[in-house]
Amino acid sequence: MLRFQTLHDILPADAREDRQITLIDGQDEQRVLSFARLRQRALGLLGALQRQGLRPGHAMLLCVDDNERFLEMFWACVLGGMVAVPLAPPGADEHRRKLLRVFGQFERVSVYIDAAALERMAGFAAAHGLIEEGQRLRACAVLPTGLDIGEPGQVQPVQPDDLAFIQYSSGSTGEPKGVMLTHRNLCANIAAIREAGAFSDKDVALSWMPLSHDMGLIGFHLNMLACGVSHGLMRTDLFARRPLMWLEQASLRRATVLCSPNFGYQHYLRQYEAKLPRGLDLSAVRLIFNGAEPISAETCRRFVRTMAAHGLKPSAMFTVYGLAEASLAVSFPRPGSALETIELPRAGLRVGTVQCRAAPGERSSVVEFVKLGTPVPGTELRITGEDGAVCGEQVLGHVQMRGDNVTRGYYHDEARTLASRTPDGWFDTGDLGLLWDGQLVIAGRAKDLVIVNGQNHYPHDLERIAEQVAGIEAHRVAAAGVRRGAADSEALALFVQHRAELDDFVPKVVELRRALLQQCGLEVAHVVPVRQIPRTSSGKLQRYALATAFEQGEFDEVLAALAPLVAQTQGVGTDETGAGSTARRLQEICAGLVADQRLTLQTNLLEINLNSLTLARIHEAIEREFPQRIDVTDLFDYPTLEQLAEFLDTTGA
């Protein structure tokens, strides 16, 4: 089997002309870039960078949402021996804050950013007393339109242990965590993915994952280049607005390999049920990766069952485990194998405890976990107890790994690097799991990560935002991921210490939801008043204790009393509109989906910081009420409820 030594070998000088990348920005907005042309374009950019004085080892923060521009600059950095640093485009305040903090970790650094985003960064810096940081960032900015593309650049030699790029976690903004990935790390994992996933140049891949995410960049670009696989890259915001287009494109392209986190399947199915697509043919799909967040067995079954009508094979659902510190992949099931799960008693899920199958009829106390396969080639896994001793099969413990694919540590963070390693050199993933029949099962997280819609959120960041809200005292709020009943995925709950009347808590609910939505695009599902925030003897927040109490129903009574009080603040305004009118019905629909806004007929939905998924849900709800009369794009053409109502009335007539 062919193995690569560096990323240079993956996009060589004789890169294939007959293999291509399709960049999908819309139904009729698509561009094609051959592997060979990508290298040529990257060398052109590299020449421009070298003429500006950039040399090997220089860091380049990639903050553009255009996939074509991202790829060209990424490969310019790789070929020039520079260190690429993929980051989510700074669309919300928390992303802007994270960009400034990551930027501050480097000495030799540039920032590849659009002019409009740079201006918004300057405004953010000025508004938050960060003028000096903003000015330094502007001085280091590289604009796509400001590069003098002329003579190709000179490819710089690299060694396997040289740093290729730094993958920052999708969560923390207060203390950004940069995973250092070398050429050796990446090439080892790509070779393992290729073997474990049985990839060949006969495959055709399609992804909507962002290239700032390791599954998007490593799994569905670098791996595809290495395997000679033509692949389509669909803009992430396009999937959020028009999820049905994902599988329409897969059908059109006869795609064999797809991917999505768990929430993406849920998002697709919601739209699918509202507007059944026709003519889909998914019979070519052999693998549809499911990873990047906790996996719901029921969501997997529902998606496969629904898509079976369009030819999707039951064995196509491919549930995997990975993380950036492993250069992506850790464990894969055998391609073509059926989905496997295990049901365990909830009460027995403790580290060091032998896990036993749940007895029949114990549905209320059962947790179903998905088996995630065996370690990919070259990766070793073990489960350890609290004392560090290796556990046998079916014993819950800490998941640890080692191999050539595992990072050497975190950029400029020696303390965190040391803390992640055991004395005998294994990397601690921070997850809890067990081995069952040789397959990995992830049961939860030892860390306090909150995972919503496939994105990691660190509680202390969310708590810091909450503490900026009037009336919220420092260290009197805790953030945690919770599940209600048989929910497929986590939702965010904020627990706030409150000992006054319940009426006095309502303004805090509204403002907390608004602050989290505006600053990081995150919807707060539950704001819970509590008498006390539990802490350990050393003063650490016991977020897990609050989440457990929530899931056991201890706060149901107070939440039931709070709900009508909050609802009174979410009235539809004072518009003189008949109760049965289209506009009034739109207000009622949107009020139920936008929990922190007071909507009037003149409210512009595009100006109140709604995220893409919320807009998609609004569209789904309106589509159910007014079938076959509205597309997501209509929300952009008629952004106020008054305009949208007039449009619907016109089309109905």
Side-chain angles (χ1 to χ4, degrees):
M1 175 179 168
L2 178 64
R3 293 184 70 91
F4 301 103
Q5 298 300 311
T6 71
L7 293 189
H8 288 197
D9 302 327
I10 290 175
L11 191 65
D14 59 349
R16 298 177 64 162
E17 282 280 6
D18 63 334
R19 290 293 183 266
Q20 60 190 30
I21 304 161
T22 304
L23 302 142
I24 305 169
D25 295 339
Q27 188 72 49
D28 301 315
E29 298 177 61
Q30 302 186 14
R31 293 156 289 164
V32 174
L33 193 62
S34 72
F35 292 4
R37 182 60 177 154
L38 172 59
R39 181 183 170 93
Q40 293 169 5
R41 299 265 285 272
L43 287 174
L45 272 181
L46 176 58
L49 296 178
Q50 290 174 336
R51 285 189 289 277
Q52 290 186 3
L54 274 64
R55 296 294 179 260
H58 191 98
M60 178 67 76
L61 277 55
L62 305 179
C63 305
V64 292
D65 57 6
D66 183 292
N67 286 334
E68 186 173 11
R69 286 178 170 173
F70 180 102
L71 291 179
E72 291 170 354
M73 182 57 80
F74 174 83
W75 279 105
C77 293
V78 169
L79 296 174
M82 301 169 201
V83 180
V85 185
L87 292 174
D93 282 357
E94 282 301 284
H95 294 147
R96 297 182 184 108
R97 187 173 285 108
K98 179 176 180 176
L99 171 54
L100 285 175
R101 288 187 171 134
V102 171
F103 176 72
Q105 293 183 356
F106 295 88
E107 294 180 2
R108 292 191 300 152
V109 62
S110 297
V111 182
Y112 191 50
I113 189 170
D114 293 321
L118 181 62
E119 292 306 314
R120 288 192 290 269
M121 281 296 304
F124 169 82
H128 291 80
L130 302 169
I131 295 176
E132 184 177 342
E133 292 90 335
Q135 289 175 341
R136 180 171 172 249
L137 187 144
R138 180 183 287 277
C140 296
V142 175
L143 301 179
T145 56
L147 289 167
D148 177 23
I149 307 299
E151 288 296 316
Q154 296 297 314
V155 176
Q156 300 299 304
V158 295
Q159 299 301 315
D161 290 320
D162 288 346
L163 195 58
F165 68 89
I166 300 176
Q167 180 72 55
Y168 275 84
S169 67
S170 61
S172 177
T173 55
E175 299 177 43
K177 183 174 65 172
V179 179
M180 295 187 291
L181 298 177
T182 65
H183 289 267
R184 185 186 305 278
N185 294 151
L186 291 158
C187 289
N189 201 236
I190 288 168
I193 292 170
R194 181 177 182 177
E195 181 178 341
F199 282 93
S200 76
D201 60 6
K202 295 182 175 60
D203 279 310
V204 177
L206 175 66
S207 168
W208 57 263
M209 295 290 287
L211 291 172
S212 57
H213 191 285
D214 49 3
M215 183 184 283
L217 178 56
I218 302 172
F220 276 75
H221 175 60
L222 296 181
N223 176 63
M224 301 308 165
L225 284 177
C227 297
V229 173
S230 290
H231 50 290
L233 300 176
M234 180 177 174
R235 285 179 66 112
T236 302
D237 60 345
L238 181 60
F239 172 76
R241 298 194 316 269
R242 300 184 59 187
L244 295 185
M245 189 175 168
W246 173 42
L247 294 189
E248 288 171 0
Q249 289 293 316
S251 174
L252 180 66
R253 299 173 187 283
R254 302 293 294 163
T256 64
V257 185
L258 306 171
C259 69
S260 175
N262 195 74
F263 85 89
Y265 298 106
Q266 298 167 340
H267 182 50
Y268 180 89
L269 288 171
R270 282 194 295 267
Q271 183 69 14
Y272 176 92
E273 291 164 355
K275 189 176 182 180
L276 295 177
R278 296 181 179 180
L280 286 184
D281 180 2
L282 304 178
S283 60
V285 177
R286 67 178 188 87
L287 297 178
I288 182 163
F289 281 74
N290 190 339
E293 70 169 350
I295 298 170
S296 162
E298 181 52 37
T299 296
C300 292
R301 287 190 289 262
R302 182 172 158 234
F303 183 84
V304 170
R305 187 169 58 244
T306 303
M307 294 297 109
H310 304 288
L312 186 68
K313 304 174 186 69
S315 60
M317 183 59 68
F318 201 59
T319 53
V320 300
Y321 173 67
L323 62 163
E325 287 86 346
S327 306
L328 184 59
V330 176
S331 68
F332 279 9
R334 180 174 50 82
S337 60
L339 177 73
E340 294 186 58
T341 67
I342 182 71
E343 292 184 343
L344 303 175
R346 188 185 303 273
L349 292 173
R350 295 188 299 274
V351 172
T353 302
V354 177
Q355 306 302 310
C356 304
R357 289 182 184 272
E362 294 182 351
R363 303 304 306 168
S364 61
S365 60
V366 161
V367 185
E368 184 180 24
F369 296 105
V370 175
K371 293 183 180 180
L372 303 171
T374 58
V376 298
T379 300
E380 296 179 82
L381 277 181
R382 73 180 187 185
I383 309 297
T384 66
E386 299 291 7
D387 59 357
V390 178
C391 300
E393 275 229 345
Q394 302 182 15
V395 178
L396 185 69
H398 297 272
V399 180
Q400 298 175 357
M401 64 180 180
R402 69 179 179 185
D404 284 345
N405 60 313
V406 178
T407 178
R408 69 190 185 203
Y410 300 102
Y411 186 73
H412 275 195
D413 198 335
E414 185 176 355
R416 182 175 272 159
T417 298
L418 290 173
S420 68
R421 299 281 176 170
T422 65
D424 55 349
W426 289 70
F427 179 87
D428 190 335
T429 66
D431 290 317
L432 300 175
L434 64 151
L435 296 174
W436 197 286
D437 297 332
Q439 293 198 60
L440 178 65
V441 174
I442 296 295
R445 299 181 301 280
K447 303 172 184 177
D448 276 334
L449 284 178
V450 179
I451 301 180
V452 179
N453 290 340
Q455 294 294 309
N456 296 343
H457 301 274
Y458 283 75
H460 60 265
D461 280 344
L462 306 180
E463 291 153 6
R464 176 173 50 81
I465 295 170
E467 289 170 1
Q468 297 170 5
V469 171
I472 305 298
E473 299 179 43
H475 311 301
R476 295 294 183 268
V477 59
V482 298
R483 294 174 187 260
R484 293 300 297 264
D488 286 336
S489 58
E490 280 190 348
L492 173 61
L494 290 180
F495 299 89
V496 182
Q497 187 166 304
H498 181 78
R499 296 174 181 173
E501 295 296 324
L502 204 55
D503 288 297
D504 298 334
F505 191 70
V506 174
K508 296 179 181 179
V509 175
V510 174
E511 290 305 314
L512 284 168
R513 284 176 167 162
R514 178 178 289 117
L516 269 294
L517 187 64
Q518 289 180 343
Q519 295 199 44
C520 53
L522 189 59
E523 296 172 336
V524 182
H526 312 282
V527 183
V528 187
V530 295
R531 299 288 297 174
Q532 188 71 36
I533 300 291
R535 297 177 180 273
T536 65
S537 58
S538 62
K540 293 181 180 178
L541 285 176
Q542 290 186 306
R543 301 181 182 93
Y544 177 78
L546 288 166
T548 300
F550 179 94
E551 291 170 359
Q552 293 175 348
E554 292 185 21
F555 303 115
D556 285 357
E557 185 175 344
V558 68
L559 289 174
L562 182 63
L565 299 177
V566 174
Q568 290 175 14
T569 71
Q570 298 169 358
V572 296
T574 59
D575 307 278
E576 298 297 327
T577 307
S581 70
T582 300
R584 174 55 63 92
R585 183 61 192 125
L586 290 177
Q587 287 179 310
E588 293 169 351
I589 290 170
C590 294
L593 295 169
V594 184
D596 66 336
Q597 304 285 349
R598 189 176 179 86
L599 302 179
T600 71
L601 294 186
Q602 288 73 41
T603 299
N604 189 315
L605 297 177
L606 305 182
E607 295 178 355
I608 58 175
N609 295 307
L610 300 184
N611 60 31
S612 297
L613 283 179
T614 300
L615 283 173
R617 290 176 185 135
I618 288 173
H619 168 255
E620 293 165 16
I622 296 174
E623 172 70 17
R624 285 194 294 271
E625 186 84 7
F626 303 94
Q628 308 299 318
R629 289 166 58 186
I630 184 173
D631 200 322
V632 170
T633 54
D634 294 325
L635 296 179
F636 295 85
D637 295 332
Y638 310 98
T640 72
L641 301 183
E642 186 175 57
Q643 293 170 337
L644 191 58
E646 183 178 353
F647 168 72
L648 286 169
D649 288 339
T650 301
T651 57

